[in-house]
Amino acid sequence: TIALQHGAHRTGNRTDADMARWRSLRFGQFIHWGLYAIPGGEWNGKTYNGAAEWIRSWKEMPHEEYDKLYRQFNPVNFNPQQWAAQAKSMGAKYMIITTKHHDGFCLWPSKYSKYTIAATPWKKDLLGPMIDAYNKAGIDVHLYFSIIDWNHPDYRASLKNAADSAAGKRFQLFVKNQLAELLQRYPTIKGFWFDGTWDDSWKNDGAFSDELEQYLQSLHPGLVMGSRLRADEKGARHFDSNGRLMGDYEQGWERKLPATIEDVHGNDWEAVMTVPENQWGYHAKWTGHVKTVNEILEMLVKSVSLNGNFVLNFGPKADGTFRTEEQQLAAGIGQWMKVNGEAVYNGTYAGFEKQDWGYYIRKAGTDSVYMVVFNIPVSGSLRVKLPARTELTGASMLLGNTTLTPEWIGRNEYFLHLPGKTTDSPVVILLKTVTGE
Ligand SMILES: C#C[C@@H]1N[C@@H](C)[C@@H](O)[C@H]1O
């Protein structure tokens, strides 16, 4: 192995209570909200086909025009209690809010920047009321923070000369101050979700990102921070130059999921997912495929079955309301979670051989294993193959608490016969197993 000062400082997952809590929650809500919701992917009658929150980088959008948008940001319909109630009914147990995206606009009245909510017609802090409302609804809050800051005069993508290096140092202090300010203002938050750490200026200063992570942990012990913050001293990101994960969980699963348990290498991990193919901030015209409730449920269940968390993104409008599609998704997901959420919360990899009909999930630390069925075979018979010395002693569908009588096939294999061969929602079956000595 390579001797590293600023690589991973831990092998294996964190075992403390704060990380166990994060792991148990399994289902989160991402919220991308900021000035980009005002144009909503459109400008001067033209449609920006990129991600709406990147519209400032579009050649048709003059930077000075974008940078004036704050003068009209006035979310008069913002109702954090409604936001939290929607998330609660959807079954989300944590929420990640963009405090500042790449454009540098701060949703809180930071004393280190003029480019904040304080300069808008709204004037008031948006983060505090949001965090309070979500916490009151029993939902943890994590803060998204972009290191890239297109608005800050000292931000440099790369450091080419002494002037750049001096600016870079000032910018690093600015980042450190803003993060300490967020922890001081919002002491109940549980973690940071860093983004925008791919530029050379950040990648080439692994020491700073390492020291920053330790500084934040010293201010707020137990903080959960993913692998995207860090670089090691050789510029390796997420995994250090010895292939060891930095940070508390693998944070690279953006709009994609691991295929098998081998893909996650035993690490904690989290996937973040958009509803359209690639829109995080509000875009007036969603084009292409928009994911359905059942597609999202399968991503959530697959993530949990592979020991990961799943976070679904919402992009509120500039006025503070959610678009109809997102409201309908939240309601549909919530309807299923109300009956079947016990298979998701505290869910872990069951250690059973994957079957075509769907996914196994083991409730952490118990013998309870759930089958979440997405593909009912034509035969209607679900094959359940158990590990050696494990016996199936019972099974019941959560919906209606219907008992299923396992048909023993031989060795550790059984069939479970579903009463019907069609359903428009995933079917969850709780297995009772006993593992012999
Ligand atoms: C690229 C990129 C960013 N990372 C996602 C989480 C969104 O914030 C997107 O703008």
Side-chain angles (χ1 to χ4, degrees):
T1 50
I2 305 161
L4 290 172
Q5 267 214 299
H6 301 296
H9 299 305
R10 189 195 64 245
T11 47
N13 293 317
R14 270 176 55 173
T15 54
D16 58 288
D18 293 297
M19 198 66 200
R21 178 189 178 104
W22 177 88
R23 202 175 285 131
S24 73
L25 302 180
R26 287 307 188 215
F27 183 29
Q29 176 190 41
F30 217 147
I31 294 183
H32 275 71
W33 197 34
L35 300 183
Y36 38 78
I38 297 170
E42 298 179 330
W43 189 256
N44 275 349
K46 288 188 190 150
T47 299
Y48 172 52
N49 295 318
E53 69 284 356
W54 277 72
I55 194 169
R56 187 180 185 277
S57 67
W58 183 28
K59 64 180 183 345
E60 308 284 339
M61 168 66 83
H63 286 177
E64 61 284 354
E65 288 302 308
Y66 183 92
D67 294 346
K68 282 191 293 199
L69 288 172
Y70 73 90
R71 296 178 187 167
Q72 51 183 294
F73 190 55
N74 191 19
V76 292
N77 295 323
F78 171 56
N79 181 326
Q81 288 73 26
Q82 267 175 10
W83 286 26
Q86 175 182 253
K88 184 181 173 95
S89 73
M90 178 170 77
K93 293 291 185 188
Y94 67 110
M95 187 271 275
I96 305 169
I97 176 66
T98 49
T99 61
K100 176 177 93 168
H101 204 261
H102 310 330
D103 62 4
F105 178 72
C106 303
L107 294 194
W108 83 101
S110 173
K111 58 176 183 280
Y112 298 101
S113 168
K114 290 196 174 9
Y115 196 46
T116 81
I117 193 71
T120 71
W122 183 261
K123 291 191 183 3
K124 304 176 293 292
D125 177 23
L126 291 168
L127 294 185
M130 231 184 265
I131 293 164
D132 291 348
Y134 274 79
N135 287 171
K136 280 196 180 68
I139 300 173
D140 285 358
V141 176
H142 291 242
L143 301 183
Y144 168 109
F145 184 93
S146 172
I147 298 295
I148 284 177
D149 184 326
W150 295 325
N151 181 270
H152 197 286
D154 287 333
Y155 185 74
R156 300 286 183 282
S158 61
L159 308 179
K160 299 188 184 66
N161 52 44
D164 282 351
S165 298
K169 281 288 164 246
R170 289 193 300 270
F171 186 76
Q172 287 181 337
L173 179 60
F174 164 70
V175 165
K176 193 172 170 183
N177 286 335
Q178 280 206 317
L179 291 170
E181 179 183 43
L182 286 166
L183 288 178
Q184 186 272 326
R185 288 178 61 92
Y186 311 112
T188 67
I189 62 109
K190 300 292 182 190
F192 280 116
W193 204 95
F194 288 103
D195 199 7
T197 54
W198 48 78
D199 282 345
D200 283 351
S201 53
W202 189 263
K203 233 168 47 177
N204 295 341
D205 194 345
F208 180 75
S209 66
D210 187 14
E211 283 144 22
L212 179 65
E213 186 184 66
Q214 295 184 47
Y215 169 67
L216 295 172
Q217 279 290 359
S218 71
L219 290 182
H220 194 106
L223 212 54
V224 174
M225 293 176 274
S227 57
R228 203 174 285 204
L229 170 66
R230 294 270 303 284
D232 73 7
E233 56 261 51
K234 301 191 182 303
R237 295 180 62 226
H238 294 282
F239 294 89
D240 71 16
S241 302
N242 292 317
R244 288 165 46 195
L245 184 72
M246 295 181 279
D248 303 323
Y249 62 91
E250 189 185 352
Q251 195 189 349
W253 302 101
E254 180 173 316
R255 298 191 299 120
K256 59 186 180 190
L257 295 182
T260 65
I261 194 66
E262 287 73 30
D263 290 341
V264 304
H265 308 291
N267 298 314
D268 282 314
W269 63 277
E270 174 197 78
V272 291
M273 193 58 67
T274 49
V275 175
E277 185 48 34
N278 186 17
Q279 289 298 337
W280 299 88
Y282 174 73
H283 196 297
K285 283 203 189 69
W286 276 1
T287 55
H289 181 68
V290 175
K291 295 175 188 74
T292 63
V293 168
N294 283 339
E295 280 177 79
I296 289 163
L297 288 175
E298 180 154 8
M299 291 178 172
L300 168 61
V301 166
K302 177 172 184 181
S303 298
V304 176
S305 78
L306 297 176
N307 269 344
N309 286 7
F310 179 79
V311 181
L312 181 65
N313 182 72
F314 288 67
K317 298 179 185 175
D319 74 342
T321 60
F322 289 95
R323 66 196 309 138
T324 312
E325 301 94 319
E326 291 179 350
Q327 292 181 39
Q328 288 169 344
L329 279 174
I333 292 165
Q335 214 179 335
W336 188 85
M337 288 294 282
K338 218 177 286 328
V339 175
N340 302 291
E342 67 179 81
V344 166
Y345 305 127
N346 272 301
T348 62
Y349 174 62
F352 290 9
E353 187 180 303
K354 174 85 174 61
Q355 301 296 320
D356 293 339
W357 42 255
Y359 310 88
Y360 289 111
I361 292 173
R362 177 185 299 280
K363 184 164 282 301
T366 75
D367 279 337
S368 296
V369 173
Y370 297 88
M371 294 167 56
V372 189
V373 181
F374 288 87
N375 317 304
I376 299 177
V378 170
S379 64
S381 306
L382 304 174
R383 181 179 293 272
V384 180
K385 207 170 164 188
L386 301 180
R389 299 191 325 286
T390 302
E391 198 189 329
L392 183 60
T393 56
S396 59
M397 289 167 64
L398 294 195
L399 189 63
N401 197 15
T402 312
T403 303
L404 299 178
T405 310
E407 178 199 350
W408 185 65
I409 303 173
R411 292 179 308 286
N412 304 312
E413 287 193 59
Y414 303 80
F415 270 137
L416 286 176
H417 302 285
L418 283 181
K421 282 192 208 159
T422 56
T423 166
D424 57 6
S425 284
V427 174
V428 180
I429 297 164
L430 173 58
L431 298 178
K432 286 274 169 254
T433 62
V434 171
T435 302
E437 298 314 311

